């Protein structure tokens, strides 16, 4: 600080003095040296203003992430968008607009914010620790210039008046320092301060924000999650083990080594869903058995929405469910193939779509695609479901024969047949039927296709995040710090007790020798007599009071009046207040 | 009573509450219209420079110090309108007094009616809860209703501290009525059960925190809007403009910018930790329901945006050169993002948070 002395006093009397906030960086170059410039840049980066701008940028940067489809949430929507917007789409893609929250520019903003936070926290903590150790500062020269100020005349000489006021303030849990002999002319000053917890809270809040960023970032690096669809009912298609190859989709963090995921296996033994009278689901329950660890006992548990299975190293969720119609194909040579194939729900009543592929059927491979309804009706001849439970299931299917195209090596969707095979005529439609459980259709070549019934499937998600347990305490710290910072006011009160010349005489104030000598340091004792007889001689001290608060001055004004009125011994009446 | 009777009664009381609030609104209009004209008689700078030297004033302005509250007068002078200089003309003086009395009658009636409306409103919400046997904030209609009630209640709470701001009731009730009207029409959903993901005590905690935060922030936004109007009015008037256009002309009778600014700050500062808590609860719930505590779902993204903008607002109030008008605009952006999150994200943008109950 190179401000002139007069300015320094002024700065002390402003609310900024009650905070550890960094002073605004001075504009203009700070010297030509590299070091000077670096320092200047650092001060800029760690200034309040920069933090504000970065906060703004962060909010702004998040906007496209919510308005444009995002790959991690919904890749098909991104593809649709790209197909519909042929000019701007690729540019947006190049700008990472479809994966905003993993984009370099989003990372740049929060990294800068992080650096700014850390950079400003260091000095702020230092200043605050120093302030906690130091007594309240000296009274500023002109108390009447403070946001709150008043003055009154009191009995006793300044030392006594100050001591009494100090005692009163201490009782109100103010931190107090009485200074005798600091100022000439027998003046005694009292400095009092309260609400240090505000700055502590503010620092806790900012530290918590910093920690939150760190913990979330670490979590992103070492966490993974994945989903797997399993059929209910036990057996091979109901089981899943935690190895990368078994997942339908797997999203590892950059530091995850896919080869040593926590050993864990689970089986979906059964699945039940209950529905309200209007068809909205009331509850889903998946009964599972699982083994945790390489070898160990088998446990059982129930997965429900909002009730995941939580183990040491991972969490298991039940995210969705649907139906798997069961088909049996019997080829002319008499061999039978049975499959339960998951169909994807298309509406709230689980009208579902999907396909079954029988690549081993001979002489030709058999493909089925169509619609499943758990409670079937045929308005206008089109199969739809009127109820989500499997009360009267039915399928409406097309049966194809020919080559499914599975051996070409190109990946195919499990929920549909390869449309190119159909278009090229390699796969021919040979039947179109509606079937109820047990119903079958016989094809020309002697192959029969039977709809056996239905199973349920469930979508499980496995998630692993080693840092998650630390987030809650950090978040708690954040709210706590915020509450302290916002609810507590840091405030100062100063009193300047000046002897009033001419109104006192040694005879009338026997307990106060040297009251007017001033300039010498003395300890303050509180055993001076308070009442010293009638007459104007009792009024021997002019007390000037000033107060300053950080934020929300209105409330402090009331407190200031109350405190000062208490110190002065008489509650300030409305009339007096008017008079001032 | 059967649950459908309860639901019907709840709906009727909701409509009644709208009607009662409307009467209160009219009454507040009366108070506003007959209120003293001389509120602008003195300006802040005139008052504060009387007791503060320019140097200190400048320094205080730089660090964002509250101005105006200069001496330890009993009632905080800046919470009220400045005293009007007495008119020399006796008949004008008489008219002023009658108008003043009329205004205060309107104001008191407005408050009473408003409290009555809030009671009806609260009963309507409780009955809805009884009818569906869960907390009554499970879809957009119910959420909007709760936000409206919180808005009214937080305004009443502000009045405990700053009673002279009563005549701002018009400006609070107006948005509340808009919200309730939309809730009762476009957002309306019959009393009904919720999807399994919402069967959780976190619904009670997370959504109530969000609704409370939103309701209070609405009052903050109103105060901020009025602050911007009033400061603009002062500027135009100081520039000698005679024909001040409509929304700005409202500034003639608004409280001093300082009290509006303080009201905006206090409400926002009160709401911010609640909103923060609400988001944290949302993350805890999302972890249990969806398998991750944060997934940048559109609703989450906009909650994040709002949070950051309000953090910026509180931050700006302590930042040199940002206090006042700039900070006020940040508050406006903050509330705009909340509105966007409620209406646009719920209705237009689809996401996991599809609880709107509209179909
Ligand atoms: C993620 C980034 C940040 C967030 C979310 C944030 C948020 C906040 C909030 C909400 C407040 C208001 C608390 C209150 O009114 O008591 C505040 C105050 C404050 N912030 Fe930050 N802040 C961030 C970064 C920073 C940085 C980088 C700095 C360093 C310059 C900083 C310095 C301060 C200071 C000094 C205050 C207290 C102002 C006062 O004295 O009243 N903050 N911050």
């Amino acid at each position: 600080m190179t401000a002139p002395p007069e300015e320094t006093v002024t700065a002390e009397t402003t609310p900024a003095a009650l905070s550890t906030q960094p002073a605004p960086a001075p504009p203009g170059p700070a010297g030509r040296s590299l070091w000077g410039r670096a320092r200047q840049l650092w001060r800029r980066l760690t200034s309040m203003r920069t933090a504000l701008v970065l906060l703004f940028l962060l909010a702004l940067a998040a906007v496209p992430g919510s308005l444009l489809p995002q790959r991690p949430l919904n890749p098909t929507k991104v593809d649709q968008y790209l197909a519909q917007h042929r000019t701007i789409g690729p540019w947006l893609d190049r700008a990472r607009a479809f994966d905003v929250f993993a984009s370099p520019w989003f990372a740049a903003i929060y990294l800068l914010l992080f650096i700014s936070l850390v950079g400003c926290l260091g000095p702020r903590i230092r200043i605050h620790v120093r302030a906690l150790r130091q007594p309240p500062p000296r009274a500023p020269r002109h108390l009447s210039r403070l946001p709150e100020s008043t003055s009154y005349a009191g009995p006793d000489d300044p030392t006594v008046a100050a001591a009494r006021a100090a005692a009163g303030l201490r009782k109100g849990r103010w931190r107090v320092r009485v200074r005798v002999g600091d100022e000439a002319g027998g003046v005694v000053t009292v400095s009092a301060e309260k609400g240090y917890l505000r700055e502590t809270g503010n620092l806790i809040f900012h530290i918590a924000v910093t920690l939150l960023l760190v913990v979330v970032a670490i979590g992103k690096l070492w966490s993974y999650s994945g989903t797997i669809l399993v059929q209910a009912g036990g057996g091979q298609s109901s089981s899943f083990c935690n190895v990368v190859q078994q997942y339908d989709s797997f999203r590892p963090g950059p530091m995850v080594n896919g080869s040593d995921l926590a050993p864990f296996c689970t089986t979906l033994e059964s699945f039940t869903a209950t529905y309200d009278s209007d068809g909205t689901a009331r509850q889903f329950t998946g009964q599972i058995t699982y083994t945790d660890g390489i070898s160990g006992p088998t446990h059982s548990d129930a997965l429900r929405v909002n009730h995941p299975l939580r183990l040491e190293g991972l969490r298991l969720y039940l995210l969705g469910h649907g139906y798997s119609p069961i088909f049996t194909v019997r080829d002319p040579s008499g061999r039978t193939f049975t499959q339960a194939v998951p169909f994807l729900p298309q509406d709230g009543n689980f009208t579902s779509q999907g396909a079954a592929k029988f690549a081993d059927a001979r002489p030709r491979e058999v493909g089925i695609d169509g619609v499943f309804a758990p409670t079937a009706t045929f308005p206008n001849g089109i199969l739809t479901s009127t109820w989500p439970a499997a009360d009267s299931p039915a399928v409406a299917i097309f049966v194809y024969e020919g080559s499914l195209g599975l051996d070409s090596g190109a990946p195919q969707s499990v929920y549909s047949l390869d449309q190119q095979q159909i278009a090229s005529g390699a796969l021919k439609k040979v039947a179109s039927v509606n079937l109820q459980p047990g119903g079958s259709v016989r094809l020309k070549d002697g192959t029969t296709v039977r709809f056996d019934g239905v199973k349920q499937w469930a979508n499980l998600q496995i998630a692993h995040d080693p840092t998650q347990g630390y987030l809650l305490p950090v978040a708690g710290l954040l709210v706590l710090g915020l509450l302290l910072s916002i609810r507590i006011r840091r405030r100062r009160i100063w009193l300047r007790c000046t002897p009033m010349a001419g109104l006192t005489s040694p005879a009338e104030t026997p307990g106060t020798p040297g009251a007017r000598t001033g300039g010498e340091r003395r300890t303050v004792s509180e055993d001076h007599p308070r009442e010293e007889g009638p007459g104007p001689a009792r009024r021997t001290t002019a007390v000037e009071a000033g107060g300053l608060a950080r934020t929300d001055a209105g409330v402090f004004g009331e407190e200031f009046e109350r405190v000062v009125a208490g110190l002065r011994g008489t509650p300030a009446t409305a009339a007096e207040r008017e008079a001032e | 009573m059967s649950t459908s009777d309860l639901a019907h009664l709840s709906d009727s009381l909701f409509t009644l509450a709208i009607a009662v609030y409307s009467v209160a609104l009219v009454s507040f209009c009366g108070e506003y219209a007959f209120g003293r004209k001389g509120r602008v008689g003195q300006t802040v700078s005139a008052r504060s420079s009387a007791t503060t030297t320019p140097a200190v004033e400048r320094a205080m302005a730089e660090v964002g110090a509250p101005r105006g509250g200069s001496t330890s007068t009993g009632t905080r002078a800046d919470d009220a309108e400045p005293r009007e200089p007495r008119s020399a003309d006796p008949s004008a003086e008489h008219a002023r007094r009658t108008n003043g009395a009329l205004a205060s009658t309107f104001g008191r009636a407005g408050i009473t009616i408003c409290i009555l409306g809030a009671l009806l409103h609260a009963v309507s919400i409780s009955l809805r809860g009884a009818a569906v046997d869960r907390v009554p904030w499970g879809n957009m209609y119910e959420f909007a209703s709760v936000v409206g009630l919180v808005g009214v209640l937080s305004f009443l709470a502000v009045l405990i501290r700053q009673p002279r701001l009563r005549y701002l009731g018009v400006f609070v009730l107006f948005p509340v009525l808009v919200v309730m009207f939309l809730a009762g029409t476009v957002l309306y959903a019959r009393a009904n059960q919720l999807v399994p993901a919402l069967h959780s005590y976190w619904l009670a905690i997370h959504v109530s925190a969000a609704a409370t935060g939103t309701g209070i922030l609405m009052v903050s936004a109103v105060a901020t809007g009025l602050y911007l109007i009033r400061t603009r009015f002062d500027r135009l008037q100081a520039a000698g403009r005679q024909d001040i256009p409509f929304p700005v002309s409202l500034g003639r009778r608004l409280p001093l910018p300082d009290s509006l600014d303080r009201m905006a700050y206090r409400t926002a500062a009160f709401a911010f930790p609640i909103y923060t808590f609400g988001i944290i609860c949302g993350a805890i719930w999302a972890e249990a329901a969806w398998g991750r505590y944060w997934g940048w779902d559109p609703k989450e993204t906009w909650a994040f945006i709002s949070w950051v903008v309000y953090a910026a607002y509180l931050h700006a109030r302590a930042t040199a050169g940002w206090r006042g008008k700039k900070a006020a605009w940040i508050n406006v952006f903050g509330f705009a993002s909340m509105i966007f999150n409620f209406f646009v994200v719920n209705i237009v943008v689809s996401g996991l948070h599809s609880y709107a109950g509209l179909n």
Side-chain angles (χ1 to χ4, degrees):
Chain A
M1 285 277 233
T2 50
E6 177 60 35
E7 285 297 313
T8 315
V9 173
T10 311
E12 273 256 297
T13 64
T14 63
L18 291 175
S19 146
T20 57
Q21 70 168 259
R32 238 160 273 153
S33 75
L34 204 61
W35 176 237
R37 272 191 212 161
R39 272 183 57 110
Q40 174 79 359
L41 193 70
W42 180 247
R43 284 192 63 178
R44 284 256 168 84
L45 184 61
T46 58
S47 74
M48 295 281 287
R49 215 173 288 210
T50 306
L52 195 55
V53 171
L54 289 173
L55 278 173
F56 253 132
L57 282 179
L58 193 67
L60 210 60
V63 173
S66 75
L67 300 182
L68 291 171
Q70 296 292 296
R71 279 226 169 78
L73 293 180
N74 203 333
T76 41
K77 269 201 181 159
V78 175
D79 294 338
Q80 273 171 19
Y81 188 94
L82 283 172
Q84 281 162 10
H85 302 81
R86 298 210 170 255
T87 36
I88 194 163
W91 285 102
L92 287 172
D93 204 10
R94 237 161 280 160
R96 299 290 204 97
F98 301 114
D99 193 2
V100 165
F101 303 106
S103 68
W105 43 273
F106 195 79
I109 297 171
Y110 80 65
L111 265 176
L112 278 175
L113 197 58
F114 179 79
I115 295 170
S116 172
L117 254 170
V118 173
C120 91
L121 268 173
R124 287 185 63 199
I125 293 172
R126 244 191 345 267
I127 294 173
H128 188 52
V129 168
R130 208 185 312 141
L132 283 176
R133 293 220 200 102
Q134 275 173 352
R138 291 198 160 72
R141 204 172 307 166
H142 303 285
L143 291 180
S144 61
R145 287 182 187 174
L146 291 174
E148 305 295 337
S149 68
T150 183
S151 61
Y152 59 90
D156 309 322
D157 71 294
T159 326
V160 181
R164 188 139 46 89
L169 284 164
R170 285 202 182 94
K171 212 177 279 169
R173 299 203 292 151
W174 291 74
R175 180 183 293 191
V176 182
R177 170 55 82 77
V178 178
R179 289 186 173 87
V180 182
D182 253 20
E183 296 179 22
V187 172
V188 181
T189 62
V190 179
S191 311
E193 184 160 353
K194 204 174 174 176
Y196 292 83
L197 216 49
R198 181 218 131 91
E199 200 66 28
T200 311
N202 191 280
L203 291 171
I204 290 177
F205 167 76
H206 284 83
I207 292 170
V209 171
T210 316
L211 283 178
L212 199 72
L213 291 176
V214 173
V215 174
V216 168
I218 294 177
K220 283 277 164 288
L221 293 178
W222 272 279
S223 67
Y224 64 81
S225 73
T227 56
I228 172 82
L229 186 149
V230 289
Q231 316 256 9
Q236 176 90 59
S237 64
S238 301
S239 295
F240 164 76
C241 283
N242 191 21
V243 287
V244 173
Q245 293 76 14
Q246 290 204 16
Y247 280 101
D248 293 335
S249 76
F250 185 67
R251 290 183 301 274
M255 305 300 282
V256 172
N257 178 354
S259 64
D260 55 355
L261 307 184
F264 168 83
C265 287
T266 186
T267 303
L268 182 64
E269 303 293 347
S270 70
F271 178 89
T272 47
T274 51
Y275 301 94
D276 274 335
S277 57
D278 65 349
T280 52
R282 191 161 251 284
Q283 186 58 273
F284 312 128
T285 311
Q287 288 294 340
I288 56 161
T289 53
Y290 66 91
T291 54
D292 187 17
I294 295 167
S295 65
T298 304
H299 309 272
S300 58
D301 199 41
L303 290 182
R304 269 182 234 105
V305 177
N306 287 324
H307 286 277
L309 171 70
R310 294 176 192 278
L311 299 174
E312 186 68 36
L314 48 77
R315 296 164 282 134
L316 180 68
Y317 296 84
L318 177 65
L319 285 190
H321 70 117
Y323 290 100
S324 302
I326 308 166
F327 295 102
T328 297
V329 168
R330 180 192 182 97
D331 68 17
S333 64
R335 294 186 306 160
T336 59
F337 310 93
T338 301
Q339 278 186 33
V341 278
F343 273 37
L344 283 184
Q346 307 294 311
D347 63 24
N349 284 328
F350 285 84
T351 307
S352 309
Q353 243 172 17
K357 297 172 190 181
F358 294 85
D360 295 331
R362 293 293 177 272
R364 283 171 288 269
E365 299 172 359
V366 175
I368 296 171
D369 81 3
V371 177
F372 166 83
T375 299
T377 50
F378 295 88
N380 319 318
I382 295 168
L383 176 62
T384 40
S385 175
T386 53
W387 185 250
D391 288 350
S392 56
V395 288
I397 50 169
F398 296 130
V399 182
Y400 296 83
E401 283 190 317
S403 166
L404 294 166
L406 289 172
D407 39 13
S408 75
Q412 281 193 17
S413 162
V414 256
Y415 302 108
S416 60
L417 299 176
D418 188 342
Q419 293 305 309
Q420 261 166 355
Q421 296 293 106
I422 296 172
S424 71
L427 198 56
K428 284 201 181 65
K429 189 190 288 183
V430 290
S432 157
V433 286
N434 299 332
L435 297 174
Q436 271 154 1
S440 63
V441 56
R442 192 183 171 85
L443 308 178
K444 272 194 204 117
D445 63 359
T447 304
T448 57
V449 174
R450 192 174 72 219
F451 170 45
D452 297 321
V454 66
K455 271 185 167 182
Q456 302 216 61
W457 57 259
N459 217 352
L460 301 183
Q461 171 170 311
I462 291 200
H464 165 79
D465 182 346
T467 60
Q468 191 171 286
Y470 300 99
L471 282 174
L472 202 54
V474 170
L477 215 58
L478 190 151
V479 174
L480 175 80
L482 197 56
L483 283 173
L484 292 176
S485 173
I486 279 174
R487 298 286 153 80
I488 294 177
R489 264 162 297 117
R490 177 119 174 245
R491 55 249 196 239
R492 285 183 188 150
I493 287 181
W494 289 282
L495 301 177
R496 174 172 284 114
C497 307
T498 313
M500 286 216 284
L503 283 175
T504 185
S505 70
E508 281 166 322
T509 54
T512 58
R516 277 170 294 162
T517 52
E520 76 199 56
R521 287 185 178 272
R522 288 169 286 147
T523 50
V524 180
S525 65
E526 289 185 33
D527 53 6
H528 292 291
R530 294 201 173 172
E531 298 298 327
E532 321 205 359
R538 286 171 62 205
R539 313 200 134 225
T540 55
T541 302
V543 181
E544 235 190 313
L548 181 69
R550 179 109 196 106
T551 63
D552 215 5
V555 178
F556 177 62
E558 288 155 24
E559 181 187 13
F560 178 78
E561 284 155 28
R562 214 173 40 247
V563 170
V564 173
L567 295 181
R568 141 182 217 190
T570 51
T573 62
E576 273 174 313
R577 274 189 251 125
E578 270 315 298
E580 283 158 15
Chain B
M1 269 203 283
S2 77
T3 54
S4 78
D5 288 343
L6 289 174
H8 279 304
L9 189 56
S10 165
D11 289 353
S12 312
L13 285 177
F14 182 80
T15 315
L16 191 60
I18 290 187
V20 173
Y21 284 147
S22 308
V23 176
L25 179 83
V26 171
S27 200
F28 282 129
C29 278
E31 175 175 38
Y32 186 77
F34 289 108
R36 285 184 266 167
K37 286 216 180 81
R39 285 194 167 114
V40 239
Q42 292 164 285
T43 61
V44 202
S45 53
R47 273 167 7 89
S48 52
S49 59
T51 48
T52 320
T53 63
V56 174
E57 174 109 7
R58 206 180 326 116
M60 281 167 53
E62 274 165 15
V63 293
R67 283 202 263 171
S70 48
T71 54
S72 50
T73 44
T75 46
R76 310 294 308 151
D78 45 359
D79 276 359
E81 62 277 25
R83 253 172 242 133
E84 186 183 350
R86 270 172 190 274
S87 165
D89 176 359
S91 67
E93 174 69 15
H94 176 74
R96 192 183 67 84
R97 288 215 179 157
T98 353
N99 277 354
L102 206 55
S104 128
T105 309
F106 271 121
R108 256 172 300 163
I111 276 297
T112 315
I113 300 170
C114 182
I115 292 173
L116 177 69
L119 284 176
L120 293 171
H121 194 168
V123 175
S124 155
I125 292 173
S126 317
L127 288 181
R128 176 82 170 196
V132 289
D133 197 23
R134 57 169 169 78
V135 287
W137 43 79
N139 55 42
M140 280 183 82
Y141 159 71
E142 294 169 358
F143 187 89
S145 179
V146 171
V147 166
L149 181 63
V150 172
V152 171
L153 292 181
S154 38
F155 175 63
L156 293 175
V158 165
L159 293 191
I160 294 174
R161 271 243 166 105
Q162 293 170 280
R164 307 291 280 270
L165 299 180
R166 183 181 68 197
Y167 70 105
L168 299 184
V170 200
F171 303 103
V172 176
L173 278 187
F174 182 69
V176 165
L177 278 169
V178 170
V179 166
M180 288 181 72
F181 175 76
L182 289 175
T185 52
V186 279
L187 304 181
Y188 185 75
R190 274 187 311 110
N192 216 335
Q193 288 311 315
L194 302 170
V195 296
L198 294 180
H199 291 221
S200 167
Y201 54 88
W202 286 110
L203 175 68
I205 306 172
H206 163 62
V207 184
S208 62
T212 309
T214 309
I216 303 173
L217 290 173
M218 176 167 76
V219 175
S220 183
V222 166
T224 301
L226 296 179
Y227 167 84
L228 287 170
I229 289 177
R230 168 75 204 229
T231 45
R232 183 159 179 84
F233 177 85
D234 285 353
R235 226 169 328 113
L236 290 187
Q237 209 189 36
R241 277 278 292 271
Q242 294 301 314
D243 54 330
I244 295 176
F246 162 62
V248 180
S249 62
L250 286 173
R252 187 181 305 282
R253 290 180 183 184
L254 289 177
L256 290 172
D258 264 1
S259 358
L260 289 169
D261 187 39
R262 188 169 326 136
M263 176 176 164
Y265 170 71
R266 275 190 198 157
T267 40
F270 189 85
F272 188 66
I274 299 176
Y275 190 63
T276 308
F277 175 74
I279 293 178
I280 292 171
C281 291
I284 298 173
W285 189 7
E287 193 274 337
W290 299 325
R292 83 289 183 293
Y293 58 83
W294 195 268
W296 297 110
D297 180 72
K299 191 97 192 160
E300 291 167 353
T301 304
W302 279 92
F304 170 81
I305 293 171
S306 301
W307 188 85
V308 169
V309 173
Y310 277 109
Y313 168 68
L314 295 180
H315 220 105
R317 300 231 351 154
T319 304
W322 277 79
R323 197 169 181 268
K325 217 174 76 168
K326 281 191 201 164
W329 276 109
I330 302 180
N331 189 327
V332 170
F333 285 134
F335 197 66
S337 71
M338 306 274 286
I339 293 178
F340 187 90
N341 200 355
F342 185 62
F343 286 105
V344 183
V345 174
N346 276 348
I347 298 173
V348 183
V349 186
S350 68
L352 285 169
H353 277 84
S354 46
Y355 66 88
L358 303 173
N359 269 315

